[in-house]
Amino acid sequence: MRCFAWCIFAAALPVAAQTSDWSKVNEEAMRHFQALVRIDSTDPPGNETRVAEYVKKTLEADGIPAMLVAKDPARANVIARLKGNGSKKPILIMGHSDTVQVDASKWTFPPFSAMRDGGYVYGRGTLDDKSDLMAALMTMLLLKRSNVKLDRDVIFVSEVGEEAATGPGIEYLVNEHWNDIEAEICLAETGSVKRQNGQAHYALVETTEKQPKGVKLIAKGPAGHGSRPLRSNAVVHLARAVETIAAWEPPTRFNDTTRYYFEKLATVSSPEDAARFKGLFDPQKAPAVREYLAEHDPVSYSMLHTSISPNIIKGGYQVNVIPSEAEATLDVRALPGEDIPAFYDMMRKVINDPAVEVMPEARNQRPGAPPSRIDNEAYHAIEAAYRKVYGVQTLPYMGTGATDMAFLRAKGVQCYGIGAMVDEEDAPKGFGPHSDQERILEEAVYKHVQFFWEAVTLMAASKN
Ligand SMILES: [Zn+2]
């Protein structure tokens, strides 16, 4: 058998790091997990302090000091640290303690029951993100109990406000507690292990993400009487501009992550899909493949370029009045490193209408940052851990949405979005994150703890 870098890491692990009685660990993991899900921390308003108190009590019961830090007392973050010998810079392991809201009337099992049924645990936050929070918490407990010697500090953060406003959460932590959380590497939400037909298939790790930008199209023209149509009608110019920009395909650009992602995706896909993903790199075949993806696989298509989605349109106020102005709000998701002013200039050329302005506007933005590396010790450790626990390959990918990791990547932290195993068939059936029947496989709860433990131990445990 060929040996990759991960063999070397695995072989070098100290005996003390080869924990443990997993059935006992599983039992404890499930207990903490259910307790966390049973605390209603829907955001807004969040009230994550109740989660923070549970987490702090659990850490301190094992002798790990934990600090609550809060911009708003009802919304406390938790920071805890296990000290290493300082030969490497710290690793930060993070989960968010808030969840999205619920419509309780739609749930078969009450949303904060953490009910176990048919091999699943049901409840708000089971996938997003109390599974990560629990696995990071368990990793701290296991590291402490097994007395693992660490080359780097392991910092744990239970973070508030991920689902709504980031002010009391990651922004507060980065701005007011940077000394307490500064790290070389971070593990946080957004990845997953894809399961198909009951089998783990491959792992996805988010190494970079697109950056949301706000843009408006504003069309102007003379106002007038609706009985006398004008060619200069602002609504007509806006409609034409929206149609033109939506039909435009911005230039395709790969980065290290997306190139590697599509290459690797081809190796775990059906022959037809594999041919398509390979075709993306063949100038003859690429246009037809992109057209196929635009129609059938919007996530992959969005990864190819800075994307534009016209999502709000406004114009006019009375049926017999030609309005002097109409506007459309576009959701632009920029590739990392996109030259945004140049991109807007391209949009102006495509629209090619002096009556329509392209107006950048402020948006609750997450900072841009280069992709995290996929050739370093941290990434190889994640690959090794997924291989050991699930027997699968790891694919790095670019998130099309935005996460709190953007704030950490902007500070130079190498961030990896990881996550528990999910059935690929499950989300379309209405059981995914944010759904009315959010659920996680019990097996995924247990394996996620093992994965977290393996990955963090590989990155942090002393090798002698
Ligand atoms: Zn989340």
Side-chain angles (χ1 to χ4, degrees), residues 143-159:
L143 286 171
K144 178 77 163 95
R145 285 176 203 161
S146 54
N147 246 325
V148 174
K149 299 267 179 294
L150 298 170
D151 281 345
R152 48 172 115 236
D153 292 4
V154 179
I155 305 168
F156 164 90
V157 165
S158 165
E159 175 217 10

Side-chain angles (χ1 to χ4, degrees), residues 240-303:
R240 200 180 294 135
V242 167
E243 191 191 357
T244 305
I245 210 73
W248 176 51
E249 182 178 71
T252 298
R253 192 153 53 79
F254 294 98
N255 55 40
D256 285 355
T257 288
T258 53
R259 188 177 301 105
Y260 193 54
Y261 169 75
F262 284 112
E263 285 169 4
K264 269 210 141 179
L265 191 58
T267 69
V268 295
S269 296
S270 67
E272 303 81 52
D273 285 340
R276 265 186 218 111
F277 295 132
K278 286 183 194 154
L280 281 172
F281 303 100
D282 177 339
Q284 301 292 312
K285 296 180 182 157
V289 175
R290 292 200 299 267
E291 185 54 33
Y292 179 91
L293 295 179
E295 187 76 30
H296 301 282
D297 184 353
V299 178
S300 292
Y301 187 61
S302 177
M303 284 193 215

Side-chain angles (χ1 to χ4, degrees), residues 385-463:
Y386 274 128
R387 195 186 304 257
K388 177 164 179 189
V389 175
Y390 296 90
V392 295
Q393 297 197 57
T394 296
L395 279 60
Y397 81 101
M398 177 172 70
T400 54
T403 78
D404 285 356
M405 286 187 288
F407 291 96
L408 296 165
R409 288 200 183 106
K411 298 283 270 182
V413 185
Q414 298 290 304
C415 281
Y416 300 95
I418 46 77
M421 180 166 65
V422 288
D423 268 331
E424 279 198 295
E425 302 86 7
D426 223 35
K429 283 191 268 171
F431 295 105
H434 298 204
S435 75
D436 289 329
Q437 283 301 328
E438 187 174 344
R439 69 179 185 182
I440 189 169
L441 285 156
E442 288 185 8
E443 184 195 350
V445 173
Y446 305 140
K447 287 208 153 152
H448 199 38
V449 176
Q450 290 176 35
F451 160 77
F452 235 101
W453 159 259
E454 289 293 337
V456 173
T457 312
L458 284 171
M459 284 183 240
S462 301
K463 305 287 191 290

Side-chain angles (χ1 to χ4, degrees), residues 96 98-99 127-129 132 162-163 189-190 433-434:
H96 66 84
D98 61 327
T99 69
L127 290 169
D128 183 9
D129 183 40
D132 290 322
E162 195 280 338
E163 297 289 2
E189 68 169 343
T190 66
H434 298 204

